[in-house]
């Protein structure tokens, strides 16, 4: 039997430790860079699309292609190192370059400034929003097999890392929901 370190399922490359680094590097980053090249071409130097049209093109064409499956991404702690954060930063850099293209700002302009100017939130916020939406969809569907796991939102995840830290997608979702100050009666 030949064992593989990763498998592609529903368009997402899953590796043994679920870091999604291979998925980001092989699928999302190339698609994001391709979309970025299209944006730059359509912006042009002396002619081109208006910033509002570039923004719509980015949000409707480029961003969905480079964010497929991002609600599953999380920072994994493997042997004392944070894995997956650098891969997510590569996607953030693509968005930053897209923001430069859309807003026509010079290099060196702050990312937050360009984000506010373009009206496009950072990808880290989009990931948290998608994770919260996923949780709501799972909890409100009585036939979803993951409902039992996610409906225990306010209980502590019993699985723990060697150093005593919780692991798993439920922990990160719980942290996001707590930061959003969501309570059970607001959702149910």
């Amino acid at each position: 039997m030949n064992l593989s370190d990763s498998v592609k399922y529903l368009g997402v490359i899953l590796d043994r430790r679920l870091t999604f680094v291979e998925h980001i590097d092989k699928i999302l980053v190339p698609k994001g860079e391709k979309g970025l090249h299209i944006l730059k071409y359509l912006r042009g130097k002396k002619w081109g699309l208006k910033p509002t049209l570039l923004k719509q093109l980015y949000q409707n064409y480029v961003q969905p292609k480079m964010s497929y499956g991002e609600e599953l991404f999380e920072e994994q702690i493997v042997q004392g190192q944070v894995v997956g954060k650098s891969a997510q930063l590569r996607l953030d850099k693509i968005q930053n370059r897209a923001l430069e293209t859309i807003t026509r700002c010079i290099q060196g302009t702050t990312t937050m400034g360009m984000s506010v100017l373009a009206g496009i939130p950072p990808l880290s916020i989009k990931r948290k929003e998608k994770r919260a939406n996923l949780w709501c969809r799972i909890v409100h569907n009585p036939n979803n097999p993951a409902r039992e796991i996610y409906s225990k939102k306010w209980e502590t995840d019993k699985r723990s890392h060697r150093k005593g830290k919780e692991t798993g997608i439920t922990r990160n979702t719980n942290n996001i929901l707590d930061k959003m100050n969501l309570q059970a009666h607001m959702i149910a």
Side-chain angles (χ1 to χ4, degrees), residues 2-136:
N2 192 6
L3 295 176
S4 175
D5 287 336
S6 62
V7 64
K8 190 172 186 178
Y9 182 71
L10 296 175
V12 177
I13 297 176
L14 304 168
D15 56 33
R16 287 182 186 260
R17 295 186 176 160
L18 294 178
T19 60
F20 299 97
V21 172
E22 191 174 349
H23 174 68
I24 292 170
D25 287 340
K26 290 186 176 179
I27 295 178
L28 302 184
V29 169
K31 287 183 179 184
E33 288 177 347
K34 183 179 178 183
L36 182 64
H37 292 302
I38 292 170
L39 277 180
K40 285 183 178 182
Y41 178 77
L42 291 173
R43 182 189 83 175
K45 293 270 184 189
K46 296 180 181 178
W47 61 275
L49 296 177
K50 294 180 181 178
T52 54
L53 293 174
L54 288 171
K55 175 185 172 183
Q56 287 178 351
L57 184 64
Y58 174 73
Q59 288 182 316
N60 295 324
Y61 176 72
V62 180
Q63 197 175 36
K65 288 190 176 217
M66 62 180 235
S67 65
Y68 181 70
E70 73 182 355
E71 57 268 15
L72 302 174
F73 301 168
E74 62 180 290
E75 297 159 17
Q76 300 272 336
I77 299 175
V78 178
Q79 297 174 350
Q81 294 180 339
V82 178
V83 177
K85 184 69 174 171
S86 62
Q88 292 176 25
L89 288 175
R90 284 191 283 283
L91 291 173
D92 293 343
K93 286 179 182 178
I94 293 172
Q95 174 159 319
N96 295 344
R97 292 193 334 235
L99 289 173
E100 285 177 2
T101 303
I102 292 167
T103 61
R104 297 180 185 255
C105 289
I106 59 171
Q107 278 188 331
T109 306
T110 63
T111 304
M112 193 56 66
M114 289 187 299
S115 183
V116 169
L117 188 61
I120 299 173
L123 289 178
S124 60
I125 292 174
K126 294 288 284 180
R127 285 184 200 110
K128 290 175 184 176
E129 179 185 343
K130 285 178 105 174
R131 174 88 45 95
N133 287 337
L134 174 67
W135 180 80
C136 289

Side-chain angles (χ1 to χ4, degrees), residues 145-163:
R147 183 176 185 200
E148 184 178 325
I149 296 168
Y150 274 92
S151 62
K152 297 178 182 178
K153 181 248 173 252
W154 284 272
E155 293 181 20
T156 304
D157 189 354
K158 300 299 181 197
R159 296 171 294 152
S160 62
H161 196 272
R162 273 187 273 158
K163 294 183 179 180

